[in-house]
Amino acid sequence: MGKDLKDKLKNFARSNENFTVLTGAGVSAESGIPTFRGAEGYWTIGSREYQPQEMATYSMFTQNPYEVWKWYLYRKNICEKADPNSGHVAVAEMEKLFKNRFTLITQNVDGLHIRAGNTTERTFQIHGNIFFMRCVNECTSKIFPLPEHLCGKEKDEDLTEEEKCLVRCPYCGSLTRPHVLWFDETYNETHYSYQSTLEVAGKTGLLLIVGTSGATNLPNQVATAVHHHKGIIIDINVEHNPCTQLALSGEKGYFIQQPSSTALPSILEIFKTCENR
Ligand code: OAD
Ligand code: ZN
């Protein structure tokens, strides 16, 4: 990390401006969770291979609810076995340092940020959380933790009849759905903190973008808003991506080409050296 960037980070820490971290699947890659667009994301039903873009849709859920549940319970299994890595831990420490100047916006549904210590109050899980479900008939906007007896699945393991009864709304008995945003759905405030996220973006002085390919709408709006009001944007990724271009096209943009498990702890150390935050 160059001296210029270190100085910027120190000056920022001593200011009273707001700090936002925006994360994508890359931050959990080193915890063993495949990124969304990796080859591991494919799923077979019968002889057909589905991509997440086909499987993770409301339309697929209405045609084949238990196949979709099966895919989510398989992913839940992987998430459950994973542990937060040093990148997640550093982000949780950053929240402790910056307190109410801090917001985490994550596209990850794996819950690892919360397990690492970020609070649900300061974390917007803008694509939901795989460990929760909600009523498909929307009799309530409440989200429910997955029932304890609903186990994670191996890749081709079907739900048992008993498990099919568990994915039911505790209020009205209708089928439930995973609490995640699907490709054929749009963001909203109730479930995905849409307006709150944009509001935070509008007041962000420093944005760290970590491990995302920048393919989804709301993260792009966040980055564009910060770019527009000339906040500092730092893109952390193992590869160049559309966010890199955006960061570097601003006067105060940086690209750190490192794994998040290395870059985030380094940034945390710089923040820790600052007093009078
Ligand atoms: P992607 O799988 O599209 O991108 C993962 C990014 O992480 C890539 O840019 C990788 O280069 C980068 N990466 C991989 N390992 C890394 C590491 N160790 N450190 C840093 N970066 C690393 O995942 P997302 O951008 O999160 O949405 O995908 C965004 C959304 O698209 C997902 O939340 C999902 C999907 O459609 C919905 O389901 C609505
Ligand atoms: Zn219901």
Side-chain angles (χ1 to χ4, degrees):
M1 202 182 304
K3 185 174 179 313
D4 174 44
L5 176 52
K6 281 187 184 163
D7 288 345
K8 275 237 165 54
L9 289 169
K10 287 181 185 173
N11 288 339
F12 175 81
R14 294 184 183 114
S15 76
N16 57 7
E17 287 190 77
N18 291 338
F19 172 38
T20 302
V21 180
L22 168 64
T23 64
V27 83
S28 295
E30 290 161 277
S31 293
I33 300 179
T35 59
F36 220 84
R37 286 172 177 76
E40 311 88 343
Y42 286 79
W43 184 245
T44 309
I45 294 182
S47 58
R48 234 205 106 176
E49 279 218 325
Y50 287 87
Q51 294 196 357
Q53 285 87 333
E54 293 174 277
M55 184 52 83
T57 59
Y58 184 73
S59 155
M60 182 63 85
F61 185 77
T62 51
Q63 293 162 41
N64 236 332
Y66 298 117
E67 286 298 329
V68 173
W69 260 120
K70 181 171 144 180
W71 187 57
Y72 277 95
L73 291 176
Y74 163 62
R75 290 181 59 199
K76 173 194 177 244
N77 197 12
I78 294 173
C79 297
E80 221 157 34
K81 288 179 182 158
D83 289 315
N85 63 53
S86 55
H88 296 105
V89 172
V91 175
E93 290 294 312
M94 288 175 192
E95 178 176 339
K96 288 196 187 104
L97 284 178
F98 284 88
K99 302 186 178 71
N100 59 4
R101 287 170 59 195
F102 177 93
T103 307
L104 170 61
I105 300 167
T106 186
Q107 298 165 84
N108 300 343
V109 297
D110 56 34
L112 287 180
H113 282 299
I114 305 297
R115 278 173 57 197
N118 283 108
T119 64
T120 49
E121 291 75 28
R122 308 213 72 81
T123 303
F124 297 153
Q125 300 180 86
I126 61 170
H127 293 167
N129 183 315
I130 209 164
F131 294 97
F132 291 82
M133 62 184 195
R134 60 181 209 254
C135 179
V136 83
N137 278 343
E138 297 177 1
C139 77
T140 169
S141 61
K142 208 170 146 43
I143 61 168
F144 306 99
L146 293 187
E148 226 174 275
H149 301 299
L150 192 60
C151 298
K153 294 272 159 207
E154 294 306 320
K155 199 164 186 183
D156 286 315
E157 204 185 337
D158 285 320
L159 271 76
T160 62
E161 289 310 309
E162 192 192 38
E163 286 168 335
K164 287 181 185 172
C165 297
L166 292 174
V167 289
R168 292 274 155 193
C169 172
Y171 287 12
C172 75
S174 306
L175 196 61
T176 55
R177 53 168 286 169
H179 172 55
V180 292
L181 178 69
W182 284 325
F183 284 95
D184 53 355
E185 295 182 311
T186 50
Y187 291 102
N188 60 52
E189 176 66 17
T190 311
H191 293 306
Y192 308 112
S193 307
Y194 179 62
Q195 277 84 10
S196 306
T197 295
L198 289 177
E199 213 170 288
V200 163
K203 296 179 189 158
T204 293
L206 168 65
L207 176 67
L208 291 191
I209 304 177
V210 195
T212 179
S213 64
T216 46
N217 177 288
L218 184 53
N220 286 336
Q221 287 191 57
V222 170
T224 308
V226 178
H227 182 258
H228 189 73
H229 68 246
K230 301 193 177 7
I232 307 168
I233 300 182
I234 303 176
D235 182 37
I236 299 170
N237 200 305
V238 288
E239 285 172 8
H240 270 258
N241 65 86
C243 301
T244 319
Q245 315 310 328
L246 186 82
L248 296 180
S249 68
E251 288 160 31
K252 304 182 202 161
Y254 298 86
F255 176 48
I256 303 180
Q257 189 161 16
Q258 281 178 9
S260 47
S261 64
T262 310
L264 289 166
S266 310
I267 292 176
L268 174 68
E269 284 314 307
I270 294 168
F271 287 148
K272 277 183 170 170
T273 62
C274 302
E275 287 171 19
N276 308 323
R277 270 181 298 271

CSV table of all heavy atoms in Angstrom, one decimal, residues 24-27 29-30 35-38 107-108 127 181-183 211-216 236-239 241 258-260, ligand 1:
chain,number,residue,atom,x,y,z
A,24,GLY,N,-19.0,-8.4,-1.5
A,24,GLY,CA,-19.6,-9.4,-2.4
A,24,GLY,C,-19.0,-10.8,-2.1
A,24,GLY,O,-18.2,-10.9,-1.1
A,25,ALA,N,-19.3,-11.7,-2.9
A,25,ALA,CA,-18.9,-13.1,-2.7
A,25,ALA,C,-17.4,-13.3,-2.5
A,25,ALA,O,-17.0,-14.3,-1.8
A,25,ALA,CB,-19.4,-14.0,-3.8
A,26,GLY,N,-16.6,-12.5,-3.1
A,26,GLY,CA,-15.1,-12.6,-2.9
A,26,GLY,C,-14.6,-12.6,-1.5
A,26,GLY,O,-13.7,-13.3,-1.2
A,27,VAL,N,-15.3,-11.9,-0.6
A,27,VAL,CA,-14.9,-11.8,0.8
A,27,VAL,C,-15.1,-13.1,1.5
A,27,VAL,O,-14.4,-13.4,2.5
A,27,VAL,CB,-15.6,-10.6,1.5
A,27,VAL,CG1,-17.0,-11.0,2.0
A,27,VAL,CG2,-14.8,-10.1,2.6
A,29,ALA,N,-14.8,-16.1,-0.2
A,29,ALA,CA,-14.2,-17.1,-1.1
A,29,ALA,C,-13.2,-17.9,-0.2
A,29,ALA,O,-13.1,-19.1,-0.3
A,29,ALA,CB,-13.6,-16.5,-2.3
A,30,GLU,N,-12.4,-17.2,0.6
A,30,GLU,CA,-11.4,-17.8,1.4
A,30,GLU,C,-11.9,-18.5,2.6
A,30,GLU,O,-11.2,-19.2,3.4
A,30,GLU,CB,-10.3,-16.8,1.8
A,30,GLU,CG,-9.5,-16.4,0.6
A,30,GLU,CD,-8.8,-15.1,0.8
A,30,GLU,OE1,-9.4,-14.0,0.6
A,30,GLU,OE2,-7.6,-15.1,1.2
A,35,THR,N,-17.8,-18.5,-5.1
A,35,THR,CA,-18.3,-17.2,-5.5
A,35,THR,C,-19.6,-17.5,-6.4
A,35,THR,O,-19.7,-18.6,-6.9
A,35,THR,CB,-17.3,-16.3,-6.3
A,35,THR,OG1,-16.9,-17.0,-7.4
A,35,THR,CG2,-16.1,-15.9,-5.4
A,36,PHE,N,-20.4,-16.4,-6.6
A,36,PHE,CA,-21.7,-16.7,-7.2
A,36,PHE,C,-21.5,-17.1,-8.7
A,36,PHE,O,-22.3,-17.9,-9.2
A,36,PHE,CB,-22.5,-15.4,-7.1
A,36,PHE,CG,-23.9,-15.7,-6.9
A,36,PHE,CD1,-24.4,-16.0,-5.6
A,36,PHE,CD2,-24.9,-15.8,-7.9
A,36,PHE,CE1,-25.7,-16.3,-5.3
A,36,PHE,CE2,-26.2,-16.2,-7.6
A,36,PHE,CZ,-26.6,-16.4,-6.4
A,37,ARG,N,-20.5,-16.5,-9.4
A,37,ARG,CA,-20.4,-16.8,-10.8
A,37,ARG,C,-19.4,-17.9,-11.1
A,37,ARG,O,-19.1,-18.1,-12.3
A,37,ARG,CB,-20.1,-15.5,-11.5
A,37,ARG,CG,-21.4,-14.6,-11.6
A,37,ARG,CD,-21.2,-13.3,-12.1
A,37,ARG,NE,-22.6,-12.7,-12.2
A,37,ARG,CZ,-23.2,-12.2,-11.1
A,37,ARG,NH1,-22.6,-12.2,-9.9
A,37,ARG,NH2,-24.4,-11.7,-11.2
A,38,GLY,N,-18.9,-18.5,-10.1
A,38,GLY,CA,-17.9,-19.6,-10.3
A,38,GLY,C,-18.7,-20.8,-10.9
A,38,GLY,O,-19.9,-21.0,-10.8
A,107,GLN,N,-23.7,-8.1,-0.1
A,107,GLN,CA,-24.6,-8.9,-1.1
A,107,GLN,C,-24.6,-10.4,-0.6
A,107,GLN,O,-25.3,-11.2,-1.2
A,107,GLN,CB,-24.0,-8.8,-2.5
A,107,GLN,CG,-24.0,-7.4,-3.0
A,107,GLN,CD,-23.0,-7.3,-4.2
A,107,GLN,OE1,-23.5,-7.7,-5.4
A,107,GLN,NE2,-21.8,-6.9,-4.1
A,108,ASN,N,-23.8,-10.7,0.4
A,108,ASN,CA,-23.6,-12.1,0.7
A,108,ASN,C,-24.8,-12.5,1.6
A,108,ASN,O,-25.2,-11.8,2.5
A,108,ASN,CB,-22.3,-12.3,1.4
A,108,ASN,CG,-21.1,-12.0,0.5
A,108,ASN,OD1,-21.3,-11.9,-0.7
A,108,ASN,ND2,-20.0,-11.8,1.1
A,127,HIS,N,-29.2,-8.7,-0.2
A,127,HIS,CA,-29.7,-9.8,-0.9
A,127,HIS,C,-30.3,-10.9,0.0
A,127,HIS,O,-30.6,-12.0,-0.4
A,127,HIS,CB,-28.6,-10.5,-1.8
A,127,HIS,CG,-28.2,-9.5,-2.9
A,127,HIS,ND1,-27.1,-9.7,-3.7
A,127,HIS,CD2,-28.8,-8.4,-3.4
A,127,HIS,CE1,-27.0,-8.7,-4.6
A,127,HIS,NE2,-28.0,-7.9,-4.4
A,181,LEU,N,-33.0,-12.4,-2.3
A,181,LEU,CA,-33.5,-11.7,-3.5
A,181,LEU,C,-33.2,-12.5,-4.7
A,181,LEU,O,-32.1,-12.9,-4.9
A,181,LEU,CB,-32.8,-10.3,-3.6
A,181,LEU,CG,-33.2,-9.4,-4.8
A,181,LEU,CD1,-34.6,-8.9,-4.7
A,181,LEU,CD2,-32.2,-8.3,-4.9
A,182,TRP,N,-34.2,-12.7,-5.5
A,182,TRP,CA,-34.0,-13.5,-6.7
A,182,TRP,C,-33.8,-12.6,-7.9
A,182,TRP,O,-34.2,-11.4,-7.9
A,182,TRP,CB,-35.2,-14.5,-6.9
A,182,TRP,CG,-35.1,-15.6,-6.0
A,182,TRP,CD1,-34.0,-16.3,-5.6
A,182,TRP,CD2,-36.2,-16.3,-5.4
A,182,TRP,NE1,-34.3,-17.3,-4.7
A,182,TRP,CE2,-35.7,-17.4,-4.6
A,182,TRP,CE3,-37.6,-16.2,-5.4
A,182,TRP,CZ2,-36.5,-18.3,-3.9
A,182,TRP,CZ3,-38.4,-17.1,-4.7
A,182,TRP,CH2,-37.8,-18.1,-3.9
A,183,PHE,N,-33.3,-13.2,-9.0
A,183,PHE,CA,-32.9,-12.5,-10.2
A,183,PHE,C,-34.1,-11.8,-10.9
A,183,PHE,O,-33.9,-10.8,-11.5
A,183,PHE,CB,-32.2,-13.4,-11.2
A,183,PHE,CG,-30.8,-13.7,-10.8
A,183,PHE,CD1,-30.5,-14.8,-10.1
A,183,PHE,CD2,-29.8,-12.8,-11.1
A,183,PHE,CE1,-29.2,-15.1,-9.7
A,183,PHE,CE2,-28.5,-13.1,-10.7
A,183,PHE,CZ,-28.2,-14.2,-10.0
A,211,GLY,N,-14.4,-7.6,-3.1
A,211,GLY,CA,-14.8,-8.9,-3.6
A,211,GLY,C,-16.1,-9.0,-4.3
A,211,GLY,O,-16.8,-9.9,-4.1
A,212,THR,N,-16.4,-8.0,-5.2
A,212,THR,CA,-17.6,-8.1,-5.9
A,212,THR,C,-17.3,-7.8,-7.4
A,212,THR,O,-16.4,-7.0,-7.7
A,212,THR,CB,-18.7,-7.1,-5.4
A,212,THR,OG1,-19.9,-7.3,-6.2
A,212,THR,CG2,-18.3,-5.7,-5.4
A,213,SER,N,-18.0,-8.5,-8.3
A,213,SER,CA,-17.8,-8.3,-9.7
A,213,SER,C,-18.6,-7.1,-10.2
A,213,SER,O,-18.6,-6.8,-11.4
A,213,SER,CB,-18.2,-9.6,-10.5
A,213,SER,OG,-19.6,-9.8,-10.3
A,214,GLY,N,-19.4,-6.5,-9.3
A,214,GLY,CA,-20.1,-5.3,-9.7
A,214,GLY,C,-21.2,-5.6,-10.7
A,214,GLY,O,-21.5,-4.7,-11.6
A,215,ALA,N,-21.8,-6.7,-10.6
A,215,ALA,CA,-22.8,-7.1,-11.6
A,215,ALA,C,-24.2,-6.8,-11.2
A,215,ALA,O,-25.2,-6.9,-12.1
A,215,ALA,CB,-22.7,-8.6,-11.9
A,216,THR,N,-24.5,-6.3,-10.0
A,216,THR,CA,-25.9,-6.1,-9.6
A,216,THR,C,-26.1,-4.6,-9.4
A,216,THR,O,-25.2,-3.8,-9.2
A,216,THR,CB,-26.2,-6.9,-8.3
A,216,THR,OG1,-25.2,-6.7,-7.4
A,216,THR,CG2,-26.4,-8.3,-8.6
A,236,ILE,N,-11.1,-3.5,-3.6
A,236,ILE,CA,-10.2,-4.6,-3.2
A,236,ILE,C,-10.7,-5.8,-3.9
A,236,ILE,O,-11.9,-6.2,-3.7
A,236,ILE,CB,-10.3,-4.8,-1.7
A,236,ILE,CG1,-9.8,-3.5,-1.0
A,236,ILE,CG2,-9.4,-6.0,-1.3
A,236,ILE,CD1,-10.0,-3.6,0.5
A,237,ASN,N,-9.9,-6.4,-4.8
A,237,ASN,CA,-10.3,-7.5,-5.5
A,237,ASN,C,-9.1,-8.2,-6.1
A,237,ASN,O,-8.0,-7.6,-6.3
A,237,ASN,CB,-11.2,-7.1,-6.7
A,237,ASN,CG,-12.1,-8.2,-7.3
A,237,ASN,OD1,-11.6,-9.3,-7.6
A,237,ASN,ND2,-13.4,-8.0,-7.3
A,238,VAL,N,-9.2,-9.5,-6.3
A,238,VAL,CA,-8.0,-10.2,-6.9
A,238,VAL,C,-7.9,-10.0,-8.4
A,238,VAL,O,-6.9,-10.2,-9.0
A,238,VAL,CB,-8.1,-11.8,-6.6
A,238,VAL,CG1,-7.8,-12.1,-5.2
A,238,VAL,CG2,-9.4,-12.3,-7.0
A,239,GLU,N,-9.0,-9.4,-9.0
A,239,GLU,CA,-9.0,-9.1,-10.4
A,239,GLU,C,-9.6,-7.8,-10.7
A,239,GLU,O,-10.4,-7.3,-9.9
A,239,GLU,CB,-10.0,-10.1,-11.1
A,239,GLU,CG,-9.4,-11.5,-11.3
A,239,GLU,CD,-10.5,-12.5,-11.8
A,239,GLU,OE1,-11.6,-12.0,-12.2
A,239,GLU,OE2,-10.2,-13.7,-11.8
A,241,ASN,N,-12.2,-5.3,-12.3
A,241,ASN,CA,-13.6,-5.5,-12.5
A,241,ASN,C,-14.2,-4.2,-12.8
A,241,ASN,O,-13.5,-3.1,-12.7
A,241,ASN,CB,-14.2,-6.2,-11.3
A,241,ASN,CG,-14.1,-5.3,-10.0
A,241,ASN,OD1,-14.9,-4.5,-9.8
A,241,ASN,ND2,-13.0,-5.4,-9.3
A,258,GLN,N,-5.4,-7.5,-4.1
A,258,GLN,CA,-5.0,-8.5,-3.1
A,258,GLN,C,-6.3,-9.2,-2.7
A,258,GLN,O,-7.4,-8.7,-2.8
A,258,GLN,CB,-4.5,-7.8,-1.9
A,258,GLN,CG,-3.1,-7.3,-2.0
A,258,GLN,CD,-2.7,-6.5,-0.7
A,258,GLN,OE1,-3.4,-6.5,0.3
A,258,GLN,NE2,-1.5,-5.9,-0.8
A,259,PRO,N,-6.1,-10.4,-2.1
A,259,PRO,CA,-7.3,-11.1,-1.5
A,259,PRO,C,-7.8,-10.3,-0.3
A,259,PRO,O,-6.9,-9.6,0.4
A,259,PRO,CB,-6.7,-12.4,-1.0
A,259,PRO,CG,-5.3,-12.6,-1.6
A,259,PRO,CD,-4.9,-11.2,-2.0
A,260,SER,N,-9.0,-10.3,-0.1
A,260,SER,CA,-9.6,-9.5,1.0
A,260,SER,C,-9.1,-9.9,2.4
A,260,SER,O,-9.0,-9.1,3.3
A,260,SER,CB,-11.1,-9.6,1.0
A,260,SER,OG,-11.5,-11.0,0.9
B,1,OAD,P1,-19.3,-12.7,-8.1
B,1,OAD,O1,-19.2,-14.2,-8.0
B,1,OAD,O2,-20.0,-12.2,-9.3
B,1,OAD,O3,-17.9,-12.0,-8.0
B,1,OAD,C1,-17.0,-12.3,-7.0
B,1,OAD,C2,-15.8,-11.4,-7.1
B,1,OAD,O4,-14.9,-11.7,-6.0
B,1,OAD,C3,-15.0,-11.4,-8.4
B,1,OAD,O5,-14.8,-10.1,-8.8
B,1,OAD,C4,-13.7,-12.0,-7.9
B,1,OAD,O6,-12.6,-11.5,-8.7
B,1,OAD,C5,-13.6,-11.6,-6.5
B,1,OAD,N1,-12.8,-12.4,-5.6
B,1,OAD,C6,-12.7,-13.8,-5.6
B,1,OAD,N2,-11.9,-14.2,-4.6
B,1,OAD,C7,-11.5,-13.1,-3.9
B,1,OAD,C8,-10.7,-12.8,-2.8
B,1,OAD,N3,-10.1,-13.8,-2.1
B,1,OAD,N4,-10.5,-11.5,-2.4
B,1,OAD,C9,-11.1,-10.5,-3.0
B,1,OAD,N5,-11.9,-10.7,-4.1
B,1,OAD,C10,-12.1,-11.9,-4.6
B,1,OAD,O7,-20.1,-12.3,-6.8
B,1,OAD,P2,-20.8,-11.0,-6.4
B,1,OAD,O8,-20.2,-9.8,-7.0
B,1,OAD,O9,-21.0,-11.0,-4.9
B,1,OAD,O10,-27.1,-11.8,-6.2
B,1,OAD,O11,-22.2,-11.2,-7.0
B,1,OAD,C11,-23.2,-10.3,-6.8
B,1,OAD,C12,-24.5,-10.9,-6.7
B,1,OAD,O12,-24.8,-11.5,-8.0
B,1,OAD,C13,-24.8,-12.0,-5.7
B,1,OAD,O13,-25.1,-11.5,-4.5
B,1,OAD,C14,-26.0,-12.7,-6.3
B,1,OAD,C15,-25.5,-12.7,-7.8
B,1,OAD,O14,-26.5,-12.6,-8.7
B,1,OAD,C16,-28.3,-12.3,-6.0
B,1,OAD,O15,-28.5,-13.5,-5.8
B,1,OAD,C17,-29.4,-11.3,-6.1
